[in-house]
Amino acid sequence: MKQSFDYYMPAKVCFRAGASKDAARFIKGSNVLIISDPFLLKTGVAEAIGNSMTGKNVAYFGEIEPNPSCESVDKAAAAAREMKTDCIIGLGGGSALDVAKIVACLADNEGSIYDYYAGGTRTLSDRKASLICIPTTAGTGSEVTNVGVYTNKKAGIKMPMVNDLFWADVAIIDPELTYTLPAAITASTGMDAFCHAIEAYWNKNSQPICDMMAMTALKNIMEHIKTAYEEPDNKEARGAMLAASLFAGIAFSQTRTTGIHALSFPLTTEFGASHGIACSVTLPAFIRISTQGEKEKMESLASYLGYESVQSLADGVEELMVSMKMPVRLHEIGVKESDLAHITEVGMGAPIIQLTPAIMNEETVHGLLKSIL
Amino acid sequence: MKQSFDYYMPAKVCFRAGASKDAARFIKGSNVLIISDPFLLKTGVAEAIGNSMTGKNVAYFGEIEPNPSCESVDKAAAAAREMKTDCIIGLGGGSALDVAKIVACLADNEGSIYDYYAGGTRTLSDRKASLICIPTTAGTGSEVTNVGVYTNKKAGIKMPMVNDLFWADVAIIDPELTYTLPAAITASTGMDAFCHAIEAYWNKNSQPICDMMAMTALKNIMEHIKTAYEEPDNKEARGAMLAASLFAGIAFSQTRTTGIHALSFPLTTEFGASHGIACSVTLPAFIRISTQGEKEKMESLASYLGYESVQSLADGVEELMVSMKMPVRLHEIGVKESDLAHITEVGMGAPIIQLTPAIMNEETVHGLLKSIL
């Protein structure tokens, strides 16, 4: 066992079917801004939660796009300041939650996100507004991390921002919100959670608490993702998947991610792949090379998940992805051989790539990408 | 998997050999009170930590006895108020940590512990002093719980107090501090941690995060306690035991304990058994009855720990205790048959006894005690 580690995850977790309709009990003050995406606004999911808060003054900001831009953050922050918000609720996938995290800070910190991020020199000081994160996918795990990922459209770069003010006060995890997720989203967000868990497990920063969380998450996903994909209202499968996403989130909140996420950034910003697709497309290849640095640990994981070897685990994951109609080759998301050098360069620019348990340099990364072209 | 659970453990955990000599980096303000026991003061352990804090004004309060009394709490609170403490450090076993928790509150809340506890009607408001817990046994797990246990000498009762202000800001977990633990303390505190873990696991409030923590803790203890007992400076065993104590603490901080702890209170206050002995003496008997309510779950645990059945797990635990010269019968700690009715009555008065996965009434509890007389 690793004899040196840190652990800190101060968010209160409330996991319960229907819990999102009981969020008001966590809110002091009366002005609440729910930050969500156009779909959750249009379908009444956000409103149902807002309406459950008797006596609160609830406003909605629904202009969150996938891979949210700094411009959307600044618009949401203006809405929060205008209503003098006491509480920000992020409701949605990772995008809405990530925006909610920084908007809860910007509500009482002047200026634009650009002042604090991507070269900005100001530092966010104390957050006064409380922050509640309610995920609607299983998923992001963003409800239990202190990371937000924003896209700097000026520079065309998607970059994470880490801040202890980004820990939610409360993570409300309500499986009911996932019963209507379309199959393709169930698959891509579920495999994103798989990446979080396995990247925490093989991470150079891995530690025993994260290992427990990651292993449980991976087992839940292997056992339940296909059922959740095929039977959207299967309560047991949906609960297990959302719990997996939570555990994976706690795991990678301590370790950060690795090469899979590093390479996903250019695949998303430049090829338009959704985050889950951009991550999982390289997952089997990374499983195959993970034995370079973590042979024993990965063999023990493969065995725990019911596979004879790490290579057969990688094959199993690839087959699972194919069975859910997910791309397993880069050309399926529009990547050409001539793009590989650039993807390699951008991926190598993300420091987390060096947390991968394998040699990561221009040659090896280019080779990995070419092997799954 | 349970589809409804809460989780909240906001303490920052720093696990590292030597970490206790680096506590200053977590302290704002300059006035630090280290609360410990006479032994740790006398042997210079407390002073070594105090001396590492260059530039801080460090005072020591060393009058903490096992099963700390409300009178000791009030004395320590007076010391904290006098020095206008910015930070309370609890250093020791459960007793010192428990006292530190409430003293950190009383530093800026008027009056005596009796005003807030055991019939007192006042409520502790915001805690201003920061709180650092440094365990020296593996152990209590108190560094990651919001519970303190105090003995009300007036009424002759040992009672837990639960308060969210009791969460430490930082739990500094330094295996080096346990290298000098005597074998008997290694055994009794280690089996206390075993009780925490298994009582969290079979608890009616059990939940998946606690199950992971509990299982890992139980495995660590079964694999390493004997080595730690026989080779006090075995670093791997000491680290594994202190990690087990940490994981068990996180587990039972969410679930509370069960019958083992309920019955330990009279065994400690009236028969003078140490907390670990008072708990573990009933442990094998409770393992045997746990299948009443949690048959499958307990069988799965037994198998995970390498036993064929729950009964053979109970036998194995009993043999382990005997091999460490721990009492496994009540008469060994001075209990007579005529005492059983009273122990039953006091145990039944602790609400946690009903979290045991078995029928707990006067008859069954009396029967359990008689079976191990």
Side-chain angles (χ1 to χ4, degrees), chain B residues 263 344 348 353 360-370:
Chain B
L263 292 174
T344 301
M348 286 295 295
I353 201 168
M360 290 278 108
N361 59 33
E362 300 233 336
E363 196 187 330
T364 58
V365 172
H366 193 280
L368 179 143
L369 291 170
K370 200 169 169 189

Side-chain angles (χ1 to χ4, degrees), chain A residues 126-139:
Chain A
D126 211 22
R127 167 164 68 77
K128 290 186 190 124
S130 66
L131 172 64
I132 296 178
C133 287
I134 309 180
T136 58
T137 64

